Amino acid sequence: MDAAKDILEHLGVNSIAEMEVNENYTIEVDGYDDLTIEKIGEDRVSVGHYHISRGDLMSDPEVVFVVDNGEWKAVRYTQHPSVFS
């Protein structure tokens, strides 16, 4: 969560309250899955790496946080299994 906060601050977002619901930022780094940080509710933020597998969007992983008074608390963790064809 500290890394996600640092990335948002680097992008000029100092607080989740400044973001609109569904507002997101995707960071691309060669050799890694894209990292997306998205406000998914008034007090919820999703931070996840995503890739496409057989046409489906897969998280590897995604963590959802509830943000309360600036404190991020993890409430859900999702990681789809790797499938190789």
Side-chain angles (χ1 to χ4, degrees), residues 51-58:
H51 65 275
I52 304 293
S53 178
R54 297 185 178 182
D56 294 323
L57 183 64
M58 307 295 276

Side-chain angles (χ1 to χ4, degrees), residues 1-16 19 25 27 35-38 45-48 63 65 67 72:
M1 86 186 132
D2 289 336
K5 285 192 224 179
D6 289 346
I7 290 168
L8 287 174
E9 286 178 8
H10 180 74
L11 295 169
V13 179
N14 296 310
S15 167
I16 295 304
M19 295 175 69
Y25 298 91
I27 294 81
L35 175 70
T36 300
I37 304 169
E38 179 178 7
V45 177
S46 166
V47 178
V63 181
F65 296 90
V67 180
W72 292 34

Side-chain angles (χ1 to χ4, degrees), residues 63-75:
V63 181
V64 174
F65 296 90
V66 169
V67 180
D68 184 21
N69 291 323
E71 184 177 344
W72 292 34
K73 299 174 187 173
V75 293

